């Protein structure tokens, strides 16, 4: 039974079944780690933007200008350019410029400012009145962030991160092509370059299902957090 | 309790500076329910926020409970804020959280032990008559209930001062009344000094003992509620007093008064409490050669006292009218001549 499945699979898609699994694993690996690290850095940048902006809790024009400029610069570069541009940095950190781990460097650099903007918007949605109430209670800036700002924005942040993750998935495909492996690499090198149309279709189907699942998950979590609003 | 001296505050409003406060001084004593009334943009919101340091004056001093706010460190200011509760027009609660969570937040911030928090939350919820809503989510509550939660939250840390920022402006008249009664209870039973700002004169009339009227960043007039309502001096004060006490000749009677060909004078009379002992109006009616018409009359309760307002049309020769006015003044009523116009 399994043998016939594997043979049939090879016949139709031109690759071995484990190869697909391996590619999926690489995509999830790049996506997961880049998301985790990128979201943490993005959250940090977003907090800097929100706190230091004009009228913010810790208004600081210099910090705001620097972070804002950095975010804008990185966001205006296409990922494929960022990817090759940071090769020296990648080599410095990981020791090589190919493989899924090496690709995390450009992926994180690409996704964190994007996340920062998305999360910044979520944080700005929090009612200024709630923040003022917190200040009136004698809350410190740290307490305001932990007990008011983040909990109030969480549901919206989850949705923003879902959007960011879908964007990140597109970037992993490009990173894969340059040497990171993954589903994108599979589609391009095995599907496109070998004129293997069925495999190309299969990868598209997989990616579509992937995005659907991500969005569904994001909506679910966000909805649960928003339940009593 | 609260002493603000010569506070000046100017905001950078882009093209032109906004003078929110121009030399404002305010003195609130312990136990007061002090109301600041003014139209929007008068600077009352800024003035209120000076008290807990959410705004700092460009010049002038703010002393709260003996502490000069400008001399406090940031830490000390945060500690002082826990002794000053604040209630907002839009409630500013965490809508997605339970009532208990909202009320317990200030206690958590102050580092109160968990067991004490539970007990205190129950106490204040009982005080605002919401003990059965402890586990309800704020989003499920009505506006009046939300404001009760807001008040409970403000009272959680047992403050000495409560600041109310248009606390009833988003509520319907009936709910407004119940919230005002609750604030009065807070003042009486907990001994909390209340400073409130509002644009509704009814709020002042119902619960305040002192009032300041603000206009263009200045205090136009201030004093006890009875004296300000009884003898408003400034035009802005008159306008506000008029919103609760009608001292205008009814439109319908105006044409009658104007078409009167005999010598006449229209007088506005105010009686406060039981200041007038004799049956004044009856005595006026008995005067020979004088005709008295009552054009309007209202009675208002405030500050546990009663203020009655009468608009009288006196018809007779100048001498008779002068005598009648002497009688009114002699009886202890507040009197002013009203212009009728053509």
């Amino acid at each position: 039974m399994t043998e016939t499945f594997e043979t049939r699979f090879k016949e139709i898609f031109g690759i071995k079944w484990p190869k697909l699994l391996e590619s999926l694993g690489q995509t999830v690996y790049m996506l997961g780690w880049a998301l985790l690290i990128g979201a943490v850095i993005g959250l940090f940048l977003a907090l800097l933007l929100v706190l230091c902006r004009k009228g913010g809790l810790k208004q600081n024009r210099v910090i705001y200008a620097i972070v804002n400029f950095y975010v804008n610069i990185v966001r205006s570069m296409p990922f494929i350019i960022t990817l090759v541009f940071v090769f020296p940095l990648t080599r410095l950190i990981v020791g090589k410029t190919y493989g899924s781990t090496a690709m995390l460097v450009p992926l994180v650099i690409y996704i964190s400012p994007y996340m920062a903007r998305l999360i910044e918007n979520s944080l700005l949605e929090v009612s200024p009145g709630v923040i003022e109430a917190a200040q009136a209670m004698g809350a410190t800036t740290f307490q305001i962030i932990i007990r008011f700002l983040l909990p109030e924005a969480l549901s919206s942040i989850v949705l923003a991160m879902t959007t960011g993750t879908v964007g990140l998935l597109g970037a992993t495909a490009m990173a894969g092509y340059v040497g990171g492996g993954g589903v994108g690499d599979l589609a391009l090198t095995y599907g496109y370059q070998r004129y293997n149309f069925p495999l190309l279709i299969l990868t598209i189907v997989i990616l579509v299902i992937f995005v659907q699942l991500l969005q569904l998950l994001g909506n679910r979590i966000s909805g649960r957090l928003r339940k009593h609003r | 309790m609260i002493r603000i001296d010569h506070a000046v505050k100017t905001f950078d409003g882009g093209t032109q500076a906004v003078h929110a406060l121009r030399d404002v001084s305010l003195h609130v004593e312990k136990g007061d329910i002090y109301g600041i009334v003014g139209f929007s943009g008068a600077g009352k919101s800024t003035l209120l926020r000076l008290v807990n340091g959410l705004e700092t004056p460009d010049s002038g001093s703010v002393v709260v409970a003996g502490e000069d706010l400008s001399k406090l460190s940031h830490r000390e200011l945060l500690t002082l804020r826990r002794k000053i509760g604040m209630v907002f027009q839009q409630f500013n609660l965490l809508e997605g959280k339970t009532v208990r969570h909202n009320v317990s937040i200030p206690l958590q911030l102050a580092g109160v032990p968990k067991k004490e928090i539970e007990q205190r939350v129950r106490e204040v919820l009982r005080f605002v008559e919401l003990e059965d809503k402890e586990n309800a989510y704020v989003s499920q509550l009505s506006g009046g209930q939300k404001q009760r939660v807001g008040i409970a939250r403000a009272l959680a840390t047992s403050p000495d001062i409560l600041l109310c920022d248009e606390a009833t402006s988003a509520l319907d008249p009936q709910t407004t009344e119940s919230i005002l009664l609750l604030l009065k209870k807070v003042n009486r039973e907990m001994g909390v000094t209340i400073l409130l700002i509002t644009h509704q004169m009814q709020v002042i009339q119902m619960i305040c003992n002192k009032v300041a009227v603000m206009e263009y960043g200045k205090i136009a007039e201030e004093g006890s509620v009875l004296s300000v309502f009884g003898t408003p001096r400034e035009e802005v004060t008159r306008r506000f007093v008029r919103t609760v006490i009608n001292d205008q000749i009814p439109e319908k009677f105006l044409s009658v008064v104007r078409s009167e060909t005999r010598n006449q004078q229209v007088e506005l009379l105010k009686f406060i409490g039981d200041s007038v002992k004799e049956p004044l109006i009856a005595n006026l009616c008995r005067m020979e050669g004088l005709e008295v018409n009552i054009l309007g009359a209202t009675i208002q309760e405030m500050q546990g006292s009663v203020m009655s307002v009468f608009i009288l049309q006196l018809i007779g020769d100048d001498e008779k009218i002068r005598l009648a006015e002497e009688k009114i003044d002699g009886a202890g009523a507040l009197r002013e001549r009203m212009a009728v116009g053509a």
Side-chain angles (χ1 to χ4, degrees), chain B residues 220-234:
Chain B
E221 198 166 343
E222 65 183 309
S224 80
V225 169
L226 272 179
S227 75
V228 171
F229 274 66
T231 51
R233 293 187 311 271
E234 304 293 326

Side-chain angles (χ1 to χ4, degrees), chain B residues 89-151:
Chain B
Q89 177 175 6
Q90 297 301 334
F91 324 124
N92 295 347
L93 300 165
L94 301 179
E95 293 272 334
K97 299 281 167 34
T98 61
V99 168
R100 187 202 297 126
H101 181 95
N102 271 282
V103 178
S104 68
I105 284 182
L107 297 164
Q108 290 174 15
L109 295 179
V112 176
K114 216 171 165 206
K115 223 176 164 73
E116 281 175 45
I117 291 183
E118 271 180 39
Q119 200 186 336
R120 180 63 188 159
V121 167
R122 220 158 285 146
E123 264 172 38
V124 284
L125 283 179
R126 197 177 310 125
F127 189 85
V128 302
E129 291 160 29
L130 275 184
E131 63 262 61
D132 55 330
K133 296 283 185 203
E134 198 178 327
N135 294 310
Y137 286 87
V138 171
S139 54
Q140 301 165 335
L141 303 180
S142 70
Q145 288 171 328
K146 284 181 187 177
Q147 196 56 292
R148 281 170 189 272
V149 177
I151 292 170

